[in-house]
């Protein structure tokens, strides 16, 4: 396998939009987003039902994309709603890890690493993806709790003042470390899928790599992301423009009065409102046609089917944006490891290479 030639500097980030424009990577994010959204949708409607809203009224008001932060809910309904949000985030993280693995293999020259292989890898390494953020939260809570216990000792008469003053430097450095851990935690939220996908780390290894990368490459993390985000925005706008042009062409043909005409406009309007596609008008010129009369039963079923297509189009745009971020962060991690540790990850044997060598060794032994 011939690995991809990299400069191991900021110039490599400009490869991200092209490498991310891959049906394999976008499809992985579509699957992850879709699975997460279904769970989010179910928990959102359960929270509404717990509040006393009927399913049909909820469907009429919120459609396919329920957003409940401007809704009054009971505390247990809020808990249910946030469970759905967390599930969606976890699904995106798992998809991000799979895309990072595909990207890493592509950088190494393996263009045949499949979507199935990526999901199988993520299924095997899902623990650090979920438990690393939890571990960081527990570390921060531990230091806060530790400080709170010592502050309680300060209320003891006579000796409390000394228990505060004498170990003050200990409190100070503990506070600095807690703040640093909070920064590392925020950085890790972006790079955990890449650390797991490219470096095959477990939870403890992911924590260590997060600390190490934040300490050794703070300015590169900031500058590289300030370059990557505009690249993502520009690329998504171009990507969305082609989608918009395709929809405009369909509108001009099917919306012609000599063909489907107003029937087409009514179905598209119904479908667009179901997926709340109008919010894309802030970014792309997705304007819904005017409706003339309520749809028939068959027209409503057709509108629901069309709404699914609109939803997949929206997911494709979002998934391409996430794909750029994932590819860019994978490139960043490869660059950071090369610059900080002189560790060329692309020349390093990963677990698949070692497994293949082991299989070949066993075959040779059997032949002998």
């Amino acid at each position: 396998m011939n690995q991809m030639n990299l400069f191991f500097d900021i110039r490599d980030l400009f490869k991200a939009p092209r490498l991310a424009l891959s049906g394999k990577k976008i499809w992985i994010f579509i699957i992850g987003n879709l699975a997460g959204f279904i769970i989010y949708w179910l928990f959102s409607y359960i929270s509404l039902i717990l509040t006393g809203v009927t399913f049909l009224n909820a469907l009429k008001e919120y459609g396919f994309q329920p957003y409940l932060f401007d809704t009054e809910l009971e505390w247990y309904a809020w808990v249910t709603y946030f469970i759905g949000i967390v599930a969606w985030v976890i699904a995106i993280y798992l998809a991000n890890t799979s895309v990072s693995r595909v990207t890493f293999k592509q950088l190494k020259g393996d263009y045949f690493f499949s979507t199935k292989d990526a999901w199988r890898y993520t299924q095997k390494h899902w623990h650090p993806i979920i438990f690393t953020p939890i571990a960081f939260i527990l570390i921060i809570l531990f230091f806060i709790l530790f400080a709170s216990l010592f502050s309680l000792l300060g209320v003891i008469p006579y000796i409390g003042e000394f228990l505060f003053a004498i170990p003050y430097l200990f409190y100070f450095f503990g506070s600095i470390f807690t703040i640093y851990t909070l920064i590392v935690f925020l950085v890790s939220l972006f790079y955990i899928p890449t650390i797991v996908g490219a470096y095959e780390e477990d939870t403890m290894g992911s924590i260590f790599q997060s600390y190490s990368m934040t300490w050794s490459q703070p300015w590169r993390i900031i500058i590289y992301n300030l370059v990557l985000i505009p690249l993502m925005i520009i690329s998504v706008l171009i990507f969305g423009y082609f989608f918009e042009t395709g929809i405009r062409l369909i509108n001009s043909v099917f919306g012609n009065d000599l063909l489907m005409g107003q029937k087409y406009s009514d179905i598209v309007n119904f479908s667009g409102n179901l997926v709340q596609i109008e919010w894309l008008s802030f970014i792309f010129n997705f304007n819904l046609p005017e409706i003339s009369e309520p749809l028939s039963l068959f027209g409503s079923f057709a509108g629901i089917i069309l709404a699914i297509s609109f939803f997949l189009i929206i997911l494709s745009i979002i998934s391409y944006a996430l794909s750029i971020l994932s590819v860019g962060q994978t490139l960043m991690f490869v660059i950071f490891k090369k610059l900080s540790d002189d560790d060329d990850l692309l020349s390093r044997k990963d677990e698949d290479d070692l497994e293949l060598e082991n299989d070949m060794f066993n075959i040779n032994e059997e032949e002998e």
Side-chain angles (χ1 to χ4, degrees), residues 31-82:
I31 294 298
N33 263 308
L34 190 59
F37 171 79
I38 290 173
I39 299 173
Y40 166 79
W41 190 89
L42 288 174
F43 275 87
S44 298
Y45 274 79
I46 291 172
S47 66
L48 288 171
I49 292 171
L50 289 174
T51 308
V53 181
T54 64
F55 176 77
L56 291 178
N57 288 336
L59 185 64
K60 182 179 180 181
E61 183 174 354
Y62 295 97
F64 280 6
Q65 298 189 45
Y67 176 84
L68 306 185
F69 283 106
D70 55 356
T71 305
E72 293 186 4
L73 301 175
E74 299 292 340
W75 68 266
Y76 46 84
W78 280 117
V79 171
T80 305
Y81 181 61
F82 277 106

Side-chain angles (χ1 to χ4, degrees), residues 193-305:
T194 295
I195 293 172
V196 176
Y199 211 58
E200 302 168 350
E201 286 284 17
D202 56 12
T203 300
M204 291 303 298
S206 298
I207 293 172
F208 173 79
Q209 292 297 333
S210 298
Y211 274 109
S212 175
M213 183 171 60
T214 306
W215 179 261
S216 62
Q217 308 290 334
W219 289 111
R220 283 195 178 94
I221 291 173
I222 295 172
I223 294 171
Y224 280 36
N225 279 285
L226 287 176
V227 172
L228 179 63
I229 292 174
L231 280 175
M232 179 200 70
I233 293 173
I234 293 171
S235 301
V236 170
L237 287 174
I238 296 172
F239 187 72
Y241 172 77
F242 283 100
F243 277 50
E244 175 194 337
T245 304
I247 292 175
R248 280 175 174 271
L249 179 59
I250 294 173
N251 289 345
S252 63
V253 175
F254 286 84
N256 191 291
D257 291 335
L258 298 176
L259 300 173
M260 287 188 67
Q262 189 60 47
K263 180 187 293 186
Y264 168 82
S265 298
D266 294 341
I267 294 174
V268 169
N269 184 284
F270 176 80
S271 304
N273 285 319
L274 273 182
V275 298
Q276 298 178 6
I277 202 172
E278 63 271 8
W279 66 270
L280 285 176
S281 300
F282 292 104
I283 306 174
F284 309 109
N285 191 23
F286 287 148
N287 294 317
L288 294 176
E290 295 293 330
I291 190 171
S292 63
E293 58 184 23
L295 288 176
S296 64
L297 179 62
F298 291 104
S300 298
F301 279 120
I304 293 172
I305 296 172

Side-chain angles (χ1 to χ4, degrees), residues 28 93-103 113 115 118-119 122:
I28 289 174
Y93 260 54
L94 296 174
N96 193 352
T97 305
S98 297
V99 170
S100 181
R101 189 64 177 178
V102 171
T103 304
F113 192 76
T115 302
W119 282 118
T122 302

Side-chain angles (χ1 to χ4, degrees), residues 342-359:
D342 195 24
D343 185 2
D344 186 356
L345 299 187
L346 304 186
S347 301
R348 178 174 170 267
K349 291 182 180 179
D350 58 42
E351 64 179 38
D352 296 326
D353 298 329
L354 295 175
E355 184 178 345
L356 181 60
E357 285 187 359
N358 186 51
D359 292 340

